[in-house]
Each structure stands twice: as C-alpha cells, then as structure tokens.
C-alpha cells in the first residue's frame, strides 16, 4: 500500500494507467462485446517459457486454452471466452517455495498478449487467478488460472492474430500447519515470478487467428468504426479529427488503425450505481477515501457465480509504521479501516442471482451482504533497496453476513421472512489466525511499482483485483407461517471452497481531490464521489 500523501505522493490515474493507455484504446461501454461470428474455434497452445526463480532461470510449460470466433466483422468487438492459463513449474521451483516454509500457494497470472492486424499492433493483459494448491512433496507444481479478458475489435479487414508474450506469476505463500506463529516467521510472504517466452516457442507464441472483415458473416460495404459518436469513414477510420477516434491524441507507438482492446466490455453507467459520498452523518477526515467495488463470488453447489454489483466503500487510510528489519528492504505496515455504505447502512445494494439448484430447478434469490464489524485493511509495503521497487501485499478482513430478501424456486415465490441470513459471517482461512481470530472473509491483493513506471496489481489508492476463498455458513431464520426454509438454503448454498474475486476502483481522496483535466484522468467527481466505476472480473 502507498503511504499517505506526505510520505509517498499519490499517483494520478494517468500515471497508474500509463502502460495500458500506451498499449491500447479503452472504450468503456461504447461498443458491444458480442462476437459477429457463426461459430467458435477452440484453441489450446502449449508453450515453453523460462522463469526467473530464486534458484535461477528454470524452464516451465504454459498451456493457454480459450475459445475465439471463427470470423468477425470489422469494427465489431468480441471477447475470447473460457480463457485458462495452466503453468507447470519444475521441481526446483517447488524446492524454492518450500525453502520459504510454504505449504500452499495461491497464484495470480498476468499474461501479455500481442494483438496484431496487418502492420498494426496492440497489447492486452490477460489476468487469471488460481485456487490455492498445496505444494507437492515431489515433482512439478501445476497452477491453473482462469479469468475474464479484454474484448477486441479489428479496425478493418485482415487477420487478427493473438500471440502470447511475457508472463508474470504472483504467488501468495501459505505457511504449513503448525509453523511458527511468531510475527517475523509465520508468514512466508509472497513472490513474483517473471517468465519469458522461450526462443524455440512454436510460431513465436501464436495462440489464434481470427479473420476480420471481407468474407466475414454479415460484412458488407465499408467496415464500421466503433467510435464514441457512432460514425465511420469509408476506410473505417474515425472522422472526429483525432487520430484514434477517442477525442484524445493517439498513444505513442500505436498505429492509427491498431486493434481496439476493450477492458471487460466497459463500466456500468453512473446512473446504475448507488451514490458514494460522505455526508453529515459520515463526515470525512483528512485521510478519508471513497471507492466503488464490484466482483463475482462462486457458489460451488450451484455450479455458478453471483455478480456483486458496484458498491460504495468509505475508507479511513492509516499511517505507515516501520515494519520488521530486513537487510534488503525498507518495510512499512499500514492498517486502514473501511465500511460499506448503502442508504446509510453498512451493506451492499441488493443483488440478484439465478442458479439451477440440484441441476434442474431454477432458483432466483435477492440478497445483500451486511457488514457486522470493522473491515480491516492490512498492507505491508516493501521498498527494495537495490532498485527502489515497491512491493505491497494487502489483506482485507471483512465480517460479512449474507442476508436473503426474496427467493423464487421454479417461478414460485417463497416467503423467507425478514430474518433470513447466514448464522455467522462468511469465512476464510486466515493466514494469521492467532492475531485475527473469529469469522470473517479474507481477500488478498498484491501490487508492485518500479520507479518511473506505473503500478500494477492491487494498491489501496489506485485499486485493482483482490481474491480469496470463502465458506458459506448454514442459514437461519428463513421462512414464515411455520415453514422452515433453513434446510433448503443450507443444502443448496452452504459449503466451503467458493472463490471470490473483487475489483476496487481508483479511490477519491476527499482532502485532496483530483478532478478530470487535460493532464489527468479524474479521481473524483465534482461532488466528491469516486470518478471510476470498476468492472467485475471473473
């Protein structure tokens, strides 16, 4: 986590996002994300990589699988689906992690994917998260990461190619059962493994080719350009007088007709999200921040995921304190606190989820997550003395009860009453249970920033993705008029191993707001709400 502005200057969103802006054009919610194709092509590429681990440069195998459309129209976006990145690290890598007293590992992957059409190029980052796995006693370590990826639109006719590039693997390490609980030794920490495509990779890492334009289904006349005004010229180039059709100068190094990459299909409209502002009942302080969060939560028994709509969170950022001594790093620990905020209550907005219960009965539930205690945000910032790279590990601990407001089974409403909820908070395995007992959800995020470059991953100020795994407790208080629905909901929903991925947007610092300007993207609206509305990622 970054320090307070006095200790470490808060980067503007333009700085944080520099890499992605320089690589491709983001068109939030301006064009559809559906493929214009008659069918799909299933792709599975197994590629050799070389990964930098503590014991040295080691070979690894990366298998990327996804589904692409067979063909697409020019100017119309599509989204690769079913994207899975499987990384197989050798036994030497397992030994490196075991040497840190790790017994399990949770991984997040960042794969650079080159998108090219004719002579134009762009780059997208495919992010994935993996379920935690135990380190094997012998042999290699296999990590399977999945996640939603950016949508892409070809600017004109010509094959659109996708090629794998650099891969970064963020590893959060978990200690073995019975390991020391001393604060200095209990947490084996985290590690980022950087991998490069091997020189002998087949076809230089080519993943897929999608023909675009002439001959594609429905293609006729000049290809359309999905610019904000919905206009297009004869060549598909924007006609708003700007090089890339966004109303801004084209990023350096990007061709005028580079493929467009749309991060997650665009953000929700501000009219569709609840207000997120401080008021007389919740006055801000000099360290007050606010932000929107959104995400998905798996429900294993239902074999599906529930969408968590954008919710407001009010944050009181803590001050950094010196951490444990380390010869290679300057370490600072920061504790911040936060509250969900919806209509003066500490909860999310109501959200709906629809599943097939027991594989055949459609169930639709309206729910909220209620905060039952302080939400604590622990961040450890490590500044590497050799190059001043900053690495930040953040754990969010939130006591959240799941409350069911309405329930419909196979089209028939069931009266759940006014007190239908989980018996206790949603729970996660805490990496430090001695210091953080009790039932609560744990989410983890890791951020990194090199001097002169934008931040990547999760930082409290600039946001990013957090992930975790939760158990859903049994339900209580469900039903009315003598009808007990506790068992139905418990049998349908409750259980362990439900993956959660939350995305936090850029925060707005109330005491020092950054408004939109030609030099900076906005961090705050004029009425001091968060300017950015994040998009959920699977």
């Amino acid at each position: 986590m970054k320090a307070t502005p006095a200790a470490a200057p808060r980067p503007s969103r333009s700085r944080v996002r520099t890499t992605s802006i320089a690589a491709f054009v983001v068109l939030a919610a301006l064009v559809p994300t559906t493929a214009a194709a008659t069918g799909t092509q299933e792709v599975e590429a197994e590629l050799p990589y070389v990964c930098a681990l503590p014991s040295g440069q080691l070979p690894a195998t990366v298998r990327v699988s996804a589904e692409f459309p067979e063909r697409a129209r020019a100017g119309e976006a599509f989204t690769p689906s079913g994207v899975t990145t499987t990384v197989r690290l050798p036994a030497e890598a397992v030994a490196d992690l075991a040497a840190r007293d790790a017994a399990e590992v949770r991984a997040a992957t960042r794969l650079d994917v080159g998108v090219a059409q004719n002579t134009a190029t762009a780059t997208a980052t495919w992010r994935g998260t993996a379920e935690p796995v135990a380190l094997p006693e012998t042999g290699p370590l296999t990590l399977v990461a999945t996640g939603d990826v950016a949508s892409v639109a070809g600017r004109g006719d010509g094959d659109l190619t996708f090629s794998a590039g650099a891969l970064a693997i963020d590893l959060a390490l978990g200690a073995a059962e019975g390991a020391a609980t001393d604060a200095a030794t209990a947490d084996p920490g985290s590690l980022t493994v950087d991998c490069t495509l091997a020189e002998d990779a087949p076809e230089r890492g080519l993943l897929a080719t999608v023909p675009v334009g002439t001959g594609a289904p429905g293609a006729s006349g000049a290809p359309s350009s999905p610019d904000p005004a919905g206009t297009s010229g004869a060549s598909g180039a924007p006609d708003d007088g700007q090089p890339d059709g966004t109303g801004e100068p084209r990023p350096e190094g990007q061709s005028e007709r580079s493929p467009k990459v749309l991060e997650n299909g665009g953000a929700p409209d501000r009219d569709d999200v609840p207000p997120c502002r401080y008021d007389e009942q919740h006055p801000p302080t000099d360290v007050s921040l606010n932000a929107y969060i959104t995400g998905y939560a798996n429900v294993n028994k239902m074999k599906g995921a529930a969408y968590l709509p954008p919710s407001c969170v009010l944050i009181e950022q803590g001050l950094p304190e010196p951490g444990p001594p380390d010869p290679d790093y300057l370490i600072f620990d920061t504790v911040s606190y936060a509250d969900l905020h919806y209509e003066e209550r500490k909860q999310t907005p109501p959200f709906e989820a629809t599943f097939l219960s027991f594989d055949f009965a459609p169930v639709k539930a309206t729910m909220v997550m209620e905060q039952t205690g302080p939400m604590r945000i622990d961040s450890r910032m490590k500044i590497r003395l050799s190059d001043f790279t900053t690495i930040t590990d953040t754990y969010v601990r939130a006591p959240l009860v799941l409350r069911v407001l309405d329930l419909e089974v196979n089209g028939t409403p069931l009266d759940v009453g006014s007190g239908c909820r989980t018996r206790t908070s949603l729970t996660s395995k805490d990496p430090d249970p001695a210091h953080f007992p009790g039932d609560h959800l744990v989410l983890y995020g890791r951020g990194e920033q090199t001097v002169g470059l934008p931040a990547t991953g999760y930082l409290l100020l600039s946001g990013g993705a957090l992930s975790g795994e939760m158990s859903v407790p049994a339900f209580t208080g469900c039903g009315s008029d003598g009808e007990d629905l506790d068992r139905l909901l418990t049998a349908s929903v409750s259980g362990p191993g439900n993956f959660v991925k939350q995305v936090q947007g850029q925060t707005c610092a109330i005491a020092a707001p950054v408004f939109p300007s030609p030099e900076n993207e906005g961090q705050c609206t004029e009425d001091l709400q968060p300017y950015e509305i994040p998009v959920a990622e699977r």
Side-chain angles (χ1 to χ4, degrees), residues 45-63:
E46 187 167 293
L47 302 169
Y49 273 75
V50 178
C51 297
L53 284 133
S55 58
Q57 301 286 327
L58 298 176
T61 301
V62 177
R63 186 170 66 250

Side-chain angles (χ1 to χ4, degrees), residues 126-345:
W126 287 6
R127 299 179 183 270
T129 51
E131 299 283 352
V133 296
L135 289 184
E137 294 184 2
T138 60
L141 170 65
T142 300
L143 305 168
V144 181
T146 59
D148 288 347
V149 302
S151 301
V152 178
R155 290 289 190 106
D157 294 353
D159 288 348
L160 199 62
T161 62
F162 296 78
S163 300
L167 171 69
I169 311 167
D170 297 322
L171 301 176
L173 308 179
E177 292 290 339
T181 57
D182 185 283
T185 59
D187 185 2
S190 58
L191 178 69
T192 292
V193 177
D194 292 313
C195 305
T196 56
L197 190 68
E199 293 181 358
D200 60 348
E203 299 185 87
R204 296 184 179 180
L206 180 67
L207 299 176
T209 300
V210 179
V212 175
T214 304
S220 61
S224 62
S225 173
D227 61 89
T231 59
S232 61
S235 64
D239 60 3
D240 61 357
Q242 296 294 339
D244 65 4
T246 65
E248 298 179 0
R250 184 174 63 250
E252 181 180 354
Q254 185 181 46
S255 166
E256 182 173 341
R257 294 173 59 79
S258 292
K260 291 186 178 182
V261 182
L262 293 73
E263 285 296 311
N264 297 300
D269 188 89
R270 186 164 295 276
D271 292 338
D272 298 328
V273 301
C276 187
R277 61 170 69 91
Y278 288 85
D279 51 33
E280 293 182 358
Q281 288 73 37
H282 303 83
T285 69
D286 289 343
V287 293
S288 291
L289 312 170
N290 52 357
Y292 283 108
I293 58 173
T294 185
Y296 286 96
N298 283 358
V299 182
N300 285 349
K301 285 187 174 180
M302 296 287 195
K303 299 179 181 179
Y307 169 64
L308 308 177
S311 302
C312 173
V313 61
L314 306 181
I315 305 166
E316 289 297 298
Q317 186 185 10
L319 296 175
E321 300 287 345
D326 189 295
D328 300 319
Y329 294 89
L330 288 175
I331 299 178
F332 297 93
D333 292 330
T334 306
V335 179
S336 305
Y337 290 93
D339 287 323
L340 294 170
H341 184 64
Y342 176 71
E343 295 184 350
E344 302 301 323
R345 293 190 292 270

